[in-house]
């Protein structure tokens, strides 16, 4: 009888097997404003060109070390506060099978890391929130010849961190570990060693934080362009988001800028829908100092289920996704409901924002044209200095910056009158975007007067 080892061969960081080096950057110097440049095909991470199909733990460590040398000003520290295994038990349902540390409160994680309806898919991954922490779990479903398990063994292996920006580093690790747990249940030595190596110990001292809280959402001008919005995604994630929603991206953009509660419904798999949550958050990015300080933070909740209802009742602004259709009936929990490609709202005051106007179509056309130019330069010139993610984020960041810059300038003028010329200069439709502008001025507390509201005008 051959004894099976508890060791997952692809994740043995006690040895360093010979491996081909990861794809090298085409330039000696990495362009500072673009951590997402030069991605390889497949599941890659923004800002890294070194993740391969089946990396070892040593590969990850060496790649991170190189990246730390290139971007010392903004690189975050690993802060894994928990690692866990969730399994589906035919008698008890979803349960936490194992975790470290032993005394951590993981109530509800068994449902967050194994989404409702997951039994219909072979594998998936899920981003979620647990209190002030963010989690990433990889799920797998393996057929087994067992009446006790009803022909299927389902598990998730996940981690918790105070920030989701670094979770992508361990996607492949978790994928391999969940397969390992399915094939050799109950062997946790790899996970124990991983936790001991990566558990969150926050240093005290210069510039170090003493709180395990998520970082600020809006990046500052002096930082790398969007470190807080960094998340792994397959090549073409932004492209798929654009193709999936089409011109309706402009509707989502307005709701995001107004800090509305956006809930996206979709059946499993959940991973691709978590990417849509990420893309929606990118729509509201503003880099002008001081903008958004008085409005609710646009918080990504990623995957949610019925166990999150109480937490959502107090949220003023968020974007999340779910596989549970019952949320559609709970209209007090959201402002905007997205079902497949159907964007809708029960709020009568927001109904006008669902209509796409000529300015929306013009902005979408410009975004599509810029994207085509980028793809052409990548194909013809092999230019790797830009990416679709950078293009997407910069497009909406510049659009948002232009709007708020104009509004601040008008609010500082003597008559504080926002004219049709101003509105068109912001890329908006004076008539079609009137309702949006009124809401925007109210949400951000900007003191200007639309010319159509001027009592001197007939």
């Amino acid at each position: 009888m051959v004894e099976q080892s508890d060791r997952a061969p692809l994740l043995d960081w006690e040895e360093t097997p010979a491996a081909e080096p990861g794809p090298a950057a085409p330039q000696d110097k990495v362009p500072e404003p673009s951590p997402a440049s030069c991605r390889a095909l497949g599941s890659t991470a923004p800002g890294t060109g070194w993740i391969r199909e089946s990396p070892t733990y040593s590969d990850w460590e060496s790649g991170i070390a190189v990246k730390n040398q290139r971007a010392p000003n903004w690189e975050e520290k690993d802060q894994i506060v928990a690692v866990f295994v969730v399994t589906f038990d035919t008698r008890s349902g979803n349960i936490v099978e194992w975790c470290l540390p032993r005394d951590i409160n993981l109530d509800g994680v068994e449902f967050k890391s194994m989404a409702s309806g997951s039994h219909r898919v072979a594998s998936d991954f899920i981003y979620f929130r647990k209190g002030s922490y963010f989690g990433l779990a990889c799920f797998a479903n393996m057929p087994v010849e067992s009446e006790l398990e009803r022909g299927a063994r389902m598990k998730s292996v996940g981690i918790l961190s105070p920030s989701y920006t670094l979770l992508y580093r361990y996607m492949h690790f978790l994928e391999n570990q969940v397969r390992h747990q399915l094939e050799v249940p109950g062997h946790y030595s790899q996970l124990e060693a991983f936790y001991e190596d990566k558990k969150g110990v926050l240093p005290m001292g210069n510039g170090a934080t003493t709180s395990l809280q998520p970082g600020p959402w809006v990046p500052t001008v002096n930082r790398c362009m969007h470190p807080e919005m960094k998340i792994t995604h397959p090549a073409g994630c932004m492209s798929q988001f654009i193709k999936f929603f089409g011109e309706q991206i402009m509707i989502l953009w307005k709701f995001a800028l107004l800090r509305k509660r956006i809930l996206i419904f979709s059946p499993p798999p959940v991973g691709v829908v978590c990417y849509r949550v990420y893309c929606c958050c990118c729509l509201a990015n503003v880099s002008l100092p001081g903008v958004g300080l008085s409005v609710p933070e646009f918080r990504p909740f990623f995957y949610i289920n019925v166990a999150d209802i109480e937490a959502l009742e107090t949220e003023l602004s968020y974007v999340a996704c779910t596989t549970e259709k019952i949320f559609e009936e709970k209209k007090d929990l959201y402002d905007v409901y997205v079902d497949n490609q159907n964007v809708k709202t029960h709020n009568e005051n927001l109904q006008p924002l669902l209509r796409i106007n000529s300015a929306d179509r013009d902005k979408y056309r410009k975004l599509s044209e810029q994207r085509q130019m980028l793809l052409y330069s990548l194909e013809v010139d092999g230019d790797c200095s830009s990416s679709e993610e950078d293009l997407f984020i910069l497009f909406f960041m510049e659009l948002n910056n232009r709007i708020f810059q104009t509004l601040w300038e008008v609010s500082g003028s003597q008559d504080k009158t926002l004219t049709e010329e101003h509105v068109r200069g912001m890329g908006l439709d004076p008539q079609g975007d009137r309702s949006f502008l009124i809401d925007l001025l109210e949400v951000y507390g900007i003191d200007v007067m639309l010319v159509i509201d001027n009592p001197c005008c007939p």
Side-chain angles (χ1 to χ4, degrees), residues 411-429:
S411 68
S413 65
Q414 187 171 0
D415 60 3
K416 300 181 182 295
T417 300
L418 191 69
T419 66
E420 289 191 7
E421 184 179 354
H422 287 132
V423 175
R424 290 194 180 92
M426 293 187 292
L428 300 176
D429 187 310

Side-chain angles (χ1 to χ4, degrees), residues 13-280:
W13 62 81
E14 293 179 4
E15 300 177 3
T16 308
E20 294 179 6
Q27 298 174 347
D28 292 333
K29 185 176 182 181
V30 176
E32 185 174 343
S34 179
S37 62
C38 300
R39 289 188 192 83
L41 292 176
S43 181
T44 58
T48 59
W50 43 265
I51 291 184
R52 299 192 294 280
E53 188 66 23
S54 298
T56 65
Y57 190 84
S58 298
D59 290 331
W60 287 321
E61 291 296 278
S62 62
I64 292 170
V66 171
K67 189 182 175 198
N68 283 339
Q69 294 174 2
R70 293 177 177 177
N73 294 328
W74 62 272
E75 183 64 25
E76 298 177 73
K77 299 292 185 182
D78 290 299
Q79 296 170 10
I80 303 302
V81 298
V83 58
F84 57 87
V85 178
V86 167
T87 189
F88 175 76
D89 184 89
T90 55
R91 289 168 293 186
S92 305
N94 295 10
I95 60 172
V96 177
E97 170 187 315
W98 173 92
C99 69
L100 279 179
R102 303 292 185 187
D103 58 349
I104 191 168
N105 179 8
L106 292 179
D107 291 347
V109 165
E110 66 270 28
F111 300 107
K112 293 175 180 290
S113 58
M114 194 178 290
S116 176
S118 291
H119 62 280
R120 301 188 185 97
V121 298
S123 62
D124 199 3
F125 63 93
I126 308 172
Y127 282 85
F128 61 89
R129 287 191 64 157
K130 164 63 177 170
S132 61
Y133 302 132
F134 289 89
L136 170 63
C138 287
F139 165 84
N141 181 353
M142 185 179 75
V144 294
E145 295 181 3
S146 168
E147 292 185 5
L148 182 63
E149 295 177 283
R150 298 178 186 174
R153 183 177 298 156
M154 292 178 283
K155 292 181 183 289
S156 282
V157 176
I159 53 178
L160 289 180
S161 172
S163 171
Y164 69 84
T165 64
L166 296 183
L167 292 175
Y168 70 85
R169 288 179 168 177
Y170 307 109
M171 177 77 78
H172 290 306
F173 173 79
L174 297 175
E175 288 174 341
N176 280 282
Q177 280 298 299
V178 73
R179 287 193 294 267
H180 182 58
Q181 288 298 318
L182 288 174
E183 295 167 1
V184 193
H187 294 269
Y188 311 113
S189 64
Q190 287 281 328
L191 294 172
E192 290 170 348
F194 168 80
Y195 177 71
E196 287 302 316
D197 187 41
K198 291 298 178 184
K199 60 184 177 182
V201 178
L202 301 184
M204 303 288 291
N206 295 333
T209 178
T210 59
S211 174
L212 290 175
Q213 297 293 327
W217 176 249
V218 181
T220 62
V221 177
N222 294 329
R223 288 175 65 123
C224 188
M225 184 175 63
H226 47 275
E228 279 77 30
M229 293 185 288
K230 195 172 49 204
I231 187 172
T232 183
H233 56 76
C237 169
M238 296 293 179
S239 175
Q240 292 173 15
F241 182 73
I242 294 171
K243 289 180 180 178
F244 186 78
F245 285 110
E247 293 179 343
Q248 290 193 101
I249 284 180
M250 308 316 302
I251 296 176
L252 293 173
W253 162 66
K254 293 176 188 179
F255 286 132
L257 210 57
L258 291 175
R259 297 295 197 265
K260 297 304 177 183
R261 299 170 298 169
I262 302 175
L263 181 58
I264 304 173
F265 167 80
S266 178
V270 179
V272 66
V273 195
C274 289
Y275 293 149
R276 291 172 194 161
V277 170
Y278 163 64
C279 291
C280 279

